[in-house]
Amino acid sequence: MADIKKLCENLEKNGFHAVYFDTAKEAADYLDAKLDGRTIGMGGSMTIKDMGLVDRLPTHNTFYSHWTGSTHEQAAGAEVYLSSVNGVAETGELINIDGTGNRVASTIYGHKELYLIVGINKVESSFEQALWRARNIASPKNAQRLGVQTPCAAKGDRCYDCNSPQRICKALTVLWRKPNAISYAEVILVGESLGY
């Protein structure tokens, strides 16, 4: 069982504001109320989509996502950026793997505020386990969802470190601390399984 208190303390020590909600609905209501009249960008995130925020936030914000017909460049230019992560360690490291690079780039630079929404299923006790999770659980599931021709999509069991032309694992980021260029970064932890 994840030690949420320890994780929140370590995230705060690393420069991230950390909040916890028992349910995805509570977290979605919190973000929907907090982000009003803003310009928001989002990369591909099943977590955020499943929470209903892709439908809710555009009703009272300017919202950019390739899932809603905007470009990656528009999302990259937004004041606020929303994402999830593929793995988080109780020691405070946040891990993401990306194919295009838009999502990992936007968690490092270009936005005034960053919000990372993380389901309990993505929390691991150590950095090594969180990295393993990102590579061997999240990435194969994303590859299957995207329908790419890779060994991990075909078998769904682990990363094969393949050389497939359709490989989606091309960039890896680890946020050890809040990046300097981002004024405010918040990790929203949810006590339910969300995304991959």
Side-chain angles (χ1 to χ4, degrees):
M1 186 68 180
D3 187 337
I4 297 299
K5 183 172 186 259
K6 176 182 171 187
L7 173 55
C8 288
E9 287 171 358
N10 286 326
L11 287 168
E12 293 279 348
K13 218 183 317 181
N14 293 345
F16 297 94
H17 182 60
V19 294
Y20 174 81
F21 295 96
D22 286 325
T23 68
K25 183 186 180 320
E26 290 170 321
D29 290 346
Y30 166 77
L31 273 172
D32 193 36
K34 184 170 188 172
L35 300 175
D36 185 45
R38 309 293 295 280
T39 302
I40 300 170
M42 186 192 96
S45 171
M46 292 304 297
T47 294
I48 296 168
K49 184 178 181 187
D50 289 348
M51 291 172 68
L53 289 169
V54 176
D55 297 320
R56 291 174 71 171
L57 291 173
T59 64
H60 57 101
N61 296 282
T62 302
F63 190 80
Y64 296 119
S65 169
H66 62 283
W67 285 358
T68 60
S70 304
T71 66
H72 292 309
E73 292 76 17
Q74 287 172 309
E79 177 185 23
V80 174
Y81 195 77
L82 301 180
S83 183
S84 188
V85 297
N86 300 128
V88 60
E90 286 179 7
T91 47
E93 299 92 356
L94 299 148
I95 299 168
N96 259 327
I97 296 175
D98 205 353
T100 303
N102 61 305
R103 192 169 52 95
V104 295
S106 282
T107 62
I108 298 170
Y109 185 84
H111 306 279
K112 184 178 176 185
E113 296 176 24
L114 172 66
Y115 295 88
L116 301 171
I117 303 99
V118 184
I120 196 74
N121 53 312
K122 298 181 182 183
V123 179
E124 298 288 348
S125 61
S126 70
F127 168 76
E128 292 77 15
Q129 289 174 301
L131 177 60
W132 186 92
R133 184 202 188 283
R135 293 190 72 190
N136 295 287
I137 295 175
S139 294
K141 287 183 179 183
N142 272 318
Q144 288 178 327
R145 175 180 62 86
L146 294 169
V148 295
Q149 301 299 310
T150 61
C152 73
K155 297 180 182 180
D157 60 345
R158 66 179 176 90
C159 173
Y160 288 83
D161 198 17
C162 71
N163 289 315
S164 167
Q166 294 189 342
R167 177 180 170 138
I168 65 167
C169 300
K170 296 184 178 176
L172 167 75
T173 58
V174 178
L175 296 177
W176 283 295
R177 304 286 187 276
K178 179 188 77 66
N180 292 342
I182 295 174
S183 300
Y184 180 80
E186 182 170 298
V187 179
I188 298 158
L189 299 161
V190 181
E192 294 180 343
S193 290
L194 294 168
Y196 307 135

